[in-house]
Amino acid sequence: MVGVLSALPIISVGNFCCCLWVVCGGAVAAYVLQQNQQTSITPGDGALAGLLAGFAGAFIYLALSIPITLLMAPMERIMMERIIDSGSMPPEFRQYAGTYMGGAIQLAVGFFLMLIVGSMMAALGGALGSLIFKKSMPPGPIDGPGVMTGPA
């Protein structure tokens, strides 16, 4: 979830809102871990599950971003040429747009951001997810008047 939603061109904008997809991916990892346990997981367990989800998501992001970038690069180049040719932009922006090197640099920076920042935010999401999806323990025996709890 982390890598796929972060790699898609329009949907990835959700990560600009407090790393939405990354935090949710960590919470989902904590949820899945909680479902496989009989007792409640600790926030540390959830954070570890989220951290591992963040690492996996960074590599999935890289694997999906390469073909998406290859498909989108010609369209991005055409759009930049049209913006430059329109003449409504300041000369500094036209100079920047002419030297724009998206591709490999953009992929490398995105991958390392996902690997470092994304993993930390996914760990946070995992810790939050462990608290949100905590299993409630069944009530224990009630000690009160009229209830015998020891030998008679």
Side-chain angles (χ1 to χ4, degrees):
M1 178 175 152
V2 174
V4 174
L5 294 176
S6 297
L8 296 174
I10 295 172
I11 297 173
S12 66
V13 174
N15 272 339
F16 290 124
C17 178
C18 301
C19 298
L20 178 66
W21 305 133
V22 178
V23 172
C24 288
V28 167
Y31 173 77
V32 170
L33 179 65
Q34 180 63 67
Q35 294 305 311
N36 294 326
Q37 302 290 326
Q38 295 294 335
T39 60
S40 294
I41 61 172
T42 65
D45 293 336
L48 181 61
L51 181 71
L52 295 175
F55 282 146
F59 286 99
I60 293 169
Y61 167 81
L62 180 65
L64 291 176
S65 291
I66 291 172
I68 290 172
T69 300
L70 291 174
L71 290 172
M72 298 295 286
M75 289 189 290
E76 287 177 355
R77 188 173 1 98
I78 291 170
M79 284 180 14
M80 288 300 253
E81 288 173 359
R82 286 184 181 170
I83 290 171
I84 291 171
D85 292 341
S86 71
S88 61
M89 295 293 151
E92 295 84 14
F93 180 78
R94 278 187 256 154
Q95 181 182 3
Y96 166 74
T99 61
Y100 175 71
M101 299 280 294
I105 295 170
Q106 182 180 359
L107 283 174
V109 169
F111 171 70
F112 284 114
L113 280 174
M114 283 294 293
L115 189 65
I116 306 299
V117 177
S119 295
M120 291 186 326
M121 295 304 288
L124 176 67
L128 291 173
S130 70
L131 296 173
I132 293 170
F133 302 117
K134 187 177 212 174
K135 285 189 176 179
S136 60
M137 302 304 290
I142 300 173
D143 290 335
V147 177
M148 294 186 68
T149 59

